[in-house]
C-alpha cells in the first residue's frame, strides 16, 4: 500500500488514484453470451470505466439482488464456464484493469477433477482432490486479471486466498458493510489491497432510486484509513455518483443499472452504445462530485467532457 | 440436554469447524450478527444465563410434549426377528422433531432482543414449527418456501398461515429448499439488525450447525435413557434419515462416544445416484454418499456439485430431504468412519411408508420412511437391538404418496384406486 507516491504495486490502486474520481463498472460474463460480454466490456472501457469487474457466474448468488441473479441465470443457461471466462479475459482489448467477482466455491473447485460418479467412487476411480484456491488464482493471473472479489468470503476465512493472491500479484478486495465497525473494521482494513469496497446499504445488489444515508456514515468511519474507497450497491445514475464522490469516496461502483440495459435490449448488439453512454454519464457525474468538492460549495454547472 | 454431557469432543474445535468442515462463508454484512449469535449461544445455551435452558426445557415439556416415547414395534420386531424400537418424534407438537430447534432459536432470539423471525422451509415442517414457536412466543414471522414445495406440502402452508406466519413462495431454480435458503439469506442481509434467521437444520455458518445440534440432541439423550430402562443396554445400531442432518445429528450426538453403537444416516437415493452435469441436476439428495467438498450456504461441507463448482439441483420424493448440502459435522463424522452413510430410493421409501402404516398404525413422514426402507433392506446387518427414529408424521405427505404410489407398482402399497370418489 502507498501513501503519497504515485507508483503503486497494485494496478487497481494505481488506476483508481490516477483517474480520481474513479468509475468501476460490473457486468456478468456470459450474459447473454461471452461474445456479447466482450463487446460490452470494451464499450464500458470506452465510456470511461477506470476498473471493470467481471462476474464469473455461480448458481447460488446469495449476495445478489434480482437483477444480477437473473443475469447469472442467463449466463449459466448460455453455458458459461470458468475456462470460457478466462479465455474471454485473454481476448479483451481494454485499458482498464479487470477484477473477477465470484463466489468462493467457484474458486475452490477450479482445476479439480469432475465430480466422481457414484459408480466410480465405489470402484475407487478418479478420487477428487481436496478443494484448493491456487489453480484459480494462478489462472487468473495468467489471464491478466488484476484482482479478485468474493462476496461470501469474509476476512476471517480469507487467509488461503490472500496468500495465493499475494504470491501471484493479485489484489484481494474486501467489502465493508454498514454493519462493519470497531476491531473488525481495523482488521479488515489492514488486509485490504487495491481498494475498499464500501457497501452503500444493507441488503443485496440492485439499482436504487437514491443514495443511502448509510453511505455517508460508512465513509466517515473509513476516512482515517489511507486506502481508496469505492462505493457500490444501488448506484444507478450520474447524480448518485456525484453525491457519493462528494461524500468522500474515491470511486463509484455500478452493476445492476448496466445489467438493466443489457436485459432490456431486444438485440444484444443494441446494448453496446447504451452501455458506453451510461458509463460516460456516470463518469461525468463522478467528476461533477469531485469538482463540487474542490470548487466552491455552490452548485456548479455540469463540466464539459475533456 | 447436551450441555450436561461432555462437550470437548476432539473433533469439535473452536471457531465452528469439524475437521475440514464448517466455518463462516457469508457476506460481510452478516458477520457481526453471527458474532452476536455466537455470544448469545454461549451465554444462554451453554451457560444457562438468565435460566434460558430451564425455560426452554419447561416449554419443550409443556408446549412441545417432551419427552417423546421410545416404543417397541411389535410387528416389525417379529418381521425382522430382532428388537426394533421406534423413537416417536412424530408425536412431538407439530408432528416432527423440528420443534426442538425452532422453539430453541425463537426463544433465543427473544432473549437477544430481536424483533422479527424469518426462516426457510422445505417440507414445511420447519416452517410450521417456527410459525408455532413464533406464535407461542409472540414474535412476527415470515417463511420462505420453494414453489415446488408449496405445491407438494400444502397442509403445512395452511398450518403456517393459521399460526399467523407469512409464507413467501420462491420461484428460482427448482424452487425447493436450496432456493428458499438463498432467499432467506438475502432477507437476512437486508434486515439483520432486528431479525433472527432460524435456520432449519445443522447447516449454515457457525454457530448454527453446533447450536441446532444442541437443541436437537435431546432426541438421542432421551433414547439413551429410555433404551436402557426398557432393554437394559445400549442399542447395536441407530438409524435416522438425513436431509440437512438435524434429525440425524440430534439422534446420534449422544451416541458418538459409544463406539459399540453403529450409526446409520439414510439419505434420499431418489431415482438414481448419478449426477447429470449437462442438466445441472442430481435425481437424488445423497450428499453424504456421493457429494464432494465445497462451500454452500455459509459452510464448507459435502455438496452435490458439478465439476466446475456449480451446485446441482437435487431431487427426492420427500421434500424434507431434497437438498444439495448437508451439515458439516455429519460430513466429518462420515469421513472419520463414525457415521455410515446410506441411501434408499424413492420406491423403497414409499414402501417403508406403507409398511409402517399397515403394520404398526403409524403413518410416518416420507423423510422418516427412508430410514424404514433401510431397515427393511439391511436389518440383518443391524444387530439384535435397533432404534429407528421416526422423525415426523406423514399427514403432510398423503397427497404426494397417493400420487406417487399410483405411478408405481409397490409391494407394500394398499389398493390406491379405492380412494377415488
Ligand atoms: C419429518 C422430517 N424428517 C427429516 C427431515 C430432514 O431434515 P433434517 O435432516 O435436518 O432433520 C425433515 C425436513 O423437513 C422432516 O420434516
Amino acid at each position: 500500500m502507498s501513501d503519497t507516491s504515485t507508483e503503486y504495486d497494485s494496478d487497481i490502486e494505481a488506476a483508481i488514484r490516477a483517474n480520481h474520481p474513479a468509475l468501476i463498472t460490473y457486468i456478468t460474463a456470459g450474459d447473454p453470451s461471452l461474445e456479447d460480454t466482450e463487446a460490452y466490456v470494451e464499450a464500458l472501457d470506452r465510456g470511461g470505466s477506470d476498473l471493470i469487474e467481471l462476474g464469473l457466474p455461480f448458481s447460488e448468488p446469495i449476495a445478489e439482488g434480482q437483477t444480477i441473479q437473473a443475469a447469472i441465470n442467463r449466463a449459466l443457461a448460455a453455458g458459461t464456464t470458468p475456462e470460457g471466462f478466462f479465455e474471454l479475459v485473454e481476448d479483451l482489448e481494454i485499458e482498464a484493469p479487470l477484477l473477477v467477482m465470484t463466489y468462493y466455491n467457484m474458486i475452490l473447485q477450479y482445476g479439480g477433477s469432475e465430480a466422481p460418479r457414484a459408480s466410480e467412487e465405489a470402484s475407487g476411480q478418479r478420487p477428487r482432490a481436496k478443494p484448493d484456491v491456487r489453480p484459480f488464482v494462478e489462472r487468473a493471473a495468467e489471464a491478466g486479471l488484476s484482482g479478485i472479489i468474493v462476496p461470501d468470503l469474509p476476512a476471517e476465512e480469507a487467509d488461503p486466498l490472500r496468500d495465493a493472491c499475494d504470491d501471484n500479484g493479485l489484489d484481494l478486495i474486501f467489502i465493508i458493510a454498514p454493519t462493519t465497525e470497531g476491531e473488525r473494521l481495523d482488521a479488515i482494513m489492514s488486509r485490504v489491497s487495491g481498494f475498499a469496497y464500501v457497501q452503500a446499504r444493507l441488503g443485496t445488489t440492485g439499482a436504487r432510486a437514491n443514495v443511502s444515508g448509510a453511505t455517508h456514515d460508512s465513509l466517515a468511519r473509513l476516512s482515517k484509513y489511507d486506502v481508496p474507497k469505492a462505493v457500490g450497491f444501488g448506484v444507478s445514475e450520474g447524480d448518485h455518483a456525484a453525491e457519493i464522490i462528494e461524500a468522500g469516496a474515491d470511486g463509484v461502483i455500478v452493476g445492476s443499472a448496466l445489467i438493466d440495459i443489457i436485459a432490456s435490449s431486444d438485440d444484444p448488439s443494441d446494448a453496446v452504445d447504451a452501455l458506453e453512454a451510461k458509463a460516460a454519464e456516470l463518469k461525468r457525474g463522478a467528476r461533477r462530485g469531485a469538482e463540487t468538492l474542490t470548487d466552491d460549495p455552490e452548485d456548479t454547472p455540469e463540466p464539459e467532457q475533456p | 440436554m447436551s450441555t450436561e454431557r461432555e462437550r470437548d469432543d476432539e473433533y469439535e474445535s473452536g471457531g465452528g469447524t469439524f475437521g475440514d468442515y464448517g466455518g463462516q462463508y457469508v457476506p460481510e454484512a452478516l458477520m457481526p450478527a453471527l458474532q452476536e449469535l455466537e455470544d448469545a449461544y454461549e451465554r444462554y445455551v451453554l451457560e444457562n444465563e438468565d435460566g434460558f435452558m430451564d425455560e426452554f426445557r419447561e416449554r419443550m415439556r409443556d408446549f412441545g410434549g417432551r419427552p417423546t416415547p421410545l416404543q417397541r414395534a411389535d410387528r416389525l420386531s417379529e418381521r425382522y426377528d430382532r428388537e426394533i424400537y421406534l423413537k416417536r418424534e412424530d408425536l412431538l407438537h407439530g408432528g416432527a422433531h423440528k420443534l426442538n430447534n425452532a422453539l430453541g432459536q425463537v426463544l433465543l432470539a427473544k432473549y437477544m432482543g430481536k424483533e422479527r423471525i424469518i426462516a426457510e422451509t422445505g417440507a414445511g415442517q420447519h416452517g410450521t414449527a417456527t410459525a408455532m414457536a413464533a406464535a407461542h412466543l409472540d414474535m412476527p414471522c415470515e417463511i420462505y418456501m420453494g414453489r415446488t414445495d408449496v405445491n407438494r406440502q400444502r397442509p403445512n402452508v395452511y398450518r403456517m398461515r393459521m399460526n399467523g406466519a407469512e409464507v413467501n413462495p420462491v420461484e428460482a431454480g427448482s424452487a425447493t429448499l436450496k432456493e428458499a435458503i438463498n432467499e432467506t439469506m438475502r432477507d437476512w442481509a437486508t434486515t439483520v439488525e432486528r431479525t433472527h434467521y432460524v435456520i432449519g437444520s445443522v447447516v449454515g455458518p457457525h454457530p448454527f450447525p453446533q447450536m441446532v445440534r444442541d437443541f436437537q440432541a435431546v432426541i438421542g439423550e432421551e433414547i439413551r435413557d429410555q433404551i436402557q430402562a426398557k432393554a437394559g443396554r445400549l442399542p447395536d445400531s441407530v438409524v435416522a434419515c438425513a436431509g440437512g442432518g438435524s434429525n440425524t445429528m440430534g439422534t446420534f450426538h449422544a451416541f458418538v462416544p459409544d463406539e459399540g453403537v453403529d450409526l446409520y444416516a439414510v439419505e434420499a437415493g431418489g431415482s438414481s445416484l448419478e449426477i447429470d452435469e449437462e442438466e445441472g441436476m442430481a435425481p437424488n439428495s445423497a450428499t453424504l454418499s456421493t457429494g464432494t467438498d465445497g462451500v454452500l450456504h455459509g459452510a464448507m461441507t459435502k455438496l452435490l456439485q458439478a465439476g466446475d463448482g456449480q451446485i446441482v439441483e437435487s431431487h427426492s420424493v420427500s421434500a424434507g430431504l431434497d437438498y444439495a448440502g448437508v451439515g458439516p459435522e455429519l460430513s466429518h463424522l462420515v469421513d472419520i468412519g463414525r457415521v455410515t452413510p446410506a441411501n434408499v430410493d424413492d420406491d423403497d421409501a414409499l414402501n417403508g411408508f406403507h409398511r409402517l402404516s399397515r403394520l404398526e398404525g403409524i403413518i410416518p413422514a416420507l423423510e422418516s420412511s427412508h430410514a424404514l426402507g433401510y431397515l427393511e433392506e439391511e436389518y440383518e446387518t443391524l444387530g439384535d437391538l435397533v432404534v429407528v427414529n421416526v422423525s415426523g408424521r406423514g399427514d403432510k405427505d398423503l397427497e404426494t404418496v397417493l400420487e406417487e404410489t399410483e405411478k408405481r407398482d409397490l409391494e407394500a402399497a394398499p389398493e390406491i384406486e379405492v380412494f377415488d370418489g
Side-chain angles (χ1 to χ4, degrees), chain B residues 96-98 123 125 201 241-247 320-321 365 367 391-392:
Chain B
H97 69 295
K98 297 283 180 184
Q125 286 300 123
S201 191
C241 68
S246 68
N247 161 60
L321 302 186
E367 290 81 6
S391 56

Side-chain angles (χ1 to χ4, degrees), chain A residues 220-301:
Chain A
R221 269 205 316 284
L222 289 170
S223 59
K224 64 175 166 167
Y225 302 97
D226 180 37
V227 175
K229 295 123 201 145
V231 174
F233 276 49
V235 183
S236 64
E237 289 169 22
D239 287 346
H240 301 164
E243 195 178 334
I244 285 166
I245 298 299
E246 241 180 283
D250 300 289
V252 292
I253 309 168
V254 182
S256 295
L258 303 170
I259 288 168
D260 284 336
I261 291 173
I262 294 170
S264 63
S265 303
D266 291 336
D267 184 328
S269 61
D270 291 350
V272 170
D273 292 342
L275 287 171
E276 184 176 339
K278 187 72 184 177
E281 173 204 324
L282 291 160
K283 180 77 190 185
R284 274 199 306 276
R287 286 215 183 90
R288 200 159 66 236
E291 281 171 23
T292 314
L293 275 181
T294 48
D295 296 355
D296 60 327
E298 302 293 305
D299 271 351
T300 39

Side-chain angles (χ1 to χ4, degrees), chain A:
Chain A
M1 240 155 288
S2 296
D3 40 16
T4 51
S5 86
T6 47
E7 294 286 310
Y8 303 100
D9 288 347
S10 155
D11 295 346
I12 291 176
E13 182 168 356
I16 292 176
R17 299 239 189 231
N19 297 295
H20 193 281
L23 172 63
I24 302 170
T25 48
Y26 166 94
I27 58 174
T28 302
D31 168 29
S33 75
L34 285 170
E35 294 76 53
D36 291 313
T37 302
E38 184 172 344
Y40 296 163
V41 171
E42 289 171 358
L44 292 172
D45 188 58
R46 284 194 303 275
S49 302
D50 302 303
L51 174 64
I52 297 173
E53 284 179 33
L54 257 185
L56 168 60
F58 175 55
S59 57
E60 320 301 319
I62 55 171
E64 251 57 76
Q66 300 211 329
T67 305
I68 295 180
Q69 194 187 348
I72 285 171
N73 290 342
R74 289 191 294 270
L76 288 174
T80 307
T81 62
E83 203 39 49
F85 173 89
F86 287 126
E87 284 164 14
L88 164 72
V89 169
E90 286 168 334
D91 288 347
L92 285 168
E93 294 187 8
I94 55 172
E95 275 176 35
L98 273 173
L99 190 61
V100 54
M101 178 154 193
T102 195
Y103 286 76
Y104 197 42
N105 199 49
M106 296 303 294
I107 294 175
L108 286 171
Q109 306 306 330
Y110 182 77
S113 56
E114 292 210 316
R117 301 298 190 277
S119 52
E120 293 166 344
E121 187 111 294
S123 63
Q125 289 172 339
R126 278 209 302 170
R128 188 179 169 107
K130 284 276 174 195
D132 181 9
V133 298
R134 289 204 172 248
F136 184 95
V137 176
E138 284 161 11
R139 183 73 182 90
E142 178 195 284
L145 285 154
S146 300
I148 301 185
I149 177 162
V150 191
D152 65 342
L153 186 69
E156 283 84 343
E157 302 283 4
D159 285 351
L161 186 59
R162 220 183 51 244
D163 291 346
C165 283
D166 288 349
D167 292 349
N168 287 278
L170 292 182
D171 284 321
L172 180 59
I173 311 303
F174 290 106
I175 294 176
I176 306 297
T179 49
T180 314
E181 299 174 330
E183 283 172 26
R184 288 206 73 236
L185 181 59
D186 285 335
I188 297 171
M189 290 307 281
S190 72
R191 295 172 187 187
V192 162
S193 66
F195 70 98
Y197 188 132
V198 181
Q199 181 180 334
R201 65 187 76 224
L202 279 180
T204 53
T205 55
R208 304 298 206 306
N210 60 348
V211 175
S212 156
T215 304
H216 298 264
D217 297 344
S218 296
L219 287 171
R221 269 205 316 284
L222 289 170
S223 59
K224 64 175 166 167
Y225 302 97
D226 180 37
V227 175
K229 295 123 201 145
V231 174
F233 276 49
V235 183
S236 64
E237 289 169 22
D239 287 346
H240 301 164
E243 195 178 334
I244 285 166
I245 298 299
E246 241 180 283
D250 300 289
V252 292
I253 309 168
V254 182
S256 295
L258 303 170
I259 288 168
D260 284 336
I261 291 173
I262 294 170
S264 63
S265 303
D266 291 336
D267 184 328
S269 61
D270 291 350
V272 170
D273 292 342
L275 287 171
E276 184 176 339
K278 187 72 184 177
E281 173 204 324
L282 291 160
K283 180 77 190 185
R284 274 199 306 276
R287 286 215 183 90
R288 200 159 66 236
E291 281 171 23
T292 314
L293 275 181
T294 48
D295 296 355
D296 60 327
E298 302 293 305
D299 271 351
T300 39
E302 193 167 293
E304 289 301 311
Q305 276 231 259

Side-chain angles (χ1 to χ4, degrees), chain B residues 259 261-263 330-341:
Chain B
E259 297 282 343
V261 180
D262 292 336
L263 307 172
L330 203 48
S331 291
H332 179 63
L333 288 171
V334 164
D335 273 8
I336 62 173
R338 184 63 192 98
V339 167
T340 306

Side-chain angles (χ1 to χ4, degrees), chain B residues 86-102:
Chain B
L86 303 176
K87 178 60 170 171
R88 298 291 307 279
E89 288 297 292
D90 60 310
L91 292 177
L92 192 66
H93 179 47
H97 69 295
K98 297 283 180 184
L99 185 72
N100 300 319
N101 168 45

